[in-house]
Amino acid sequence: MQQRLATVFIYGSLLPGHSNHQICAGFIQSAVPGVIQGRLVDYGPYPAMLRDAAAFTNGASVRGMWIVVNEQGLKRMDELEQFAGIEDDNDYDRVWVTDMHQPEQSGWVYVWDTPRGCPPIAEDYWPDFYARKRG
């Protein structure tokens, strides 16, 4: 039986070397860098991405990684991000996006719909911001 795979754009604590990478690490089939339209806000221990009017008006982008995981990996990430389903009340929504520089590359990303009072992150890559913040 062929396993179903999902492509997900990760940009924060799920990235290699960060606090939640173990959630998806054992399920990753492949990984490549990518860039999608959006902007980051600082929630403290991790960022949240917004794909709101401000992100699109300013042409903001976020660098991260496209990973391919099996269904169990996607389920584990859904649990972490408190995503119950498209029609449900979620902490993060899971939306379909396309890479800004590789139009053939698309998949899911976890986003907030509002900044929830969190300050914007000027950088387009959370590990850069995280290192500066902690250093």
Side-chain angles (χ1 to χ4, degrees), residues 76-103:
R76 296 267 320 268
M77 288 188 287
D78 282 348
E79 290 168 358
L80 173 71
E81 307 295 4
Q82 299 175 24
F83 175 79
I86 302 288
E87 299 294 322
D88 294 312
D89 187 26
N90 303 298
D91 184 26
Y92 280 81
D93 289 319
R94 182 165 30 100
V95 300
W96 193 260
V97 295
T98 300
D99 194 277
M100 292 176 71
H101 306 300
Q102 306 169 74

Side-chain angles (χ1 to χ4, degrees), residues 1 6 23 26 34 36 39 59-60 74 81 84 88 100 103 107 114 123 131 135:
M1 183 170 160
I23 299 292
I36 65 171
R39 67 186 182 100
L74 184 63
E81 307 295 4
D88 294 312
M100 292 176 71
T114 67
E123 288 88 346

Side-chain angles (χ1 to χ4, degrees), residues 33-89:
V35 179
I36 65 171
Q37 194 153 24
R39 67 186 182 100
L40 298 174
V41 295
D42 182 8
Y43 185 63
Y46 54 85
M49 182 186 299
L50 300 167
R51 289 178 47 84
D52 58 1
F56 287 97
T57 301
N58 297 327
S61 63
V62 174
R63 291 185 295 138
M65 184 177 290
W66 290 103
I67 60 171
V68 175
V69 296
N70 62 22
E71 284 181 276
Q72 188 176 2
L74 184 63
K75 181 180 176 187
R76 296 267 320 268
M77 288 188 287
D78 282 348
E79 290 168 358
L80 173 71
E81 307 295 4
Q82 299 175 24
F83 175 79
I86 302 288
E87 299 294 322
D88 294 312
D89 187 26

Side-chain angles (χ1 to χ4, degrees), residues 20-39:
N20 287 315
H21 184 64
Q22 79 282 355
I23 299 292
C24 61
F27 304 101
I28 295 175
Q29 309 284 315
S30 65
V32 295
V35 179
I36 65 171
Q37 194 153 24
R39 67 186 182 100

Side-chain angles (χ1 to χ4, degrees), residues 4 10 14 17-18 21 23-24 31 33 36 44 51 58 78 84 103 105 110 122 126 128 135:
R4 297 175 76 187
I10 59 174
L14 287 168
H18 293 280
H21 184 64
I23 299 292
C24 61
I36 65 171
R51 289 178 47 84
N58 297 327
D78 282 348
Q105 181 68 67
Y110 295 95
W126 184 66
D128 292 347

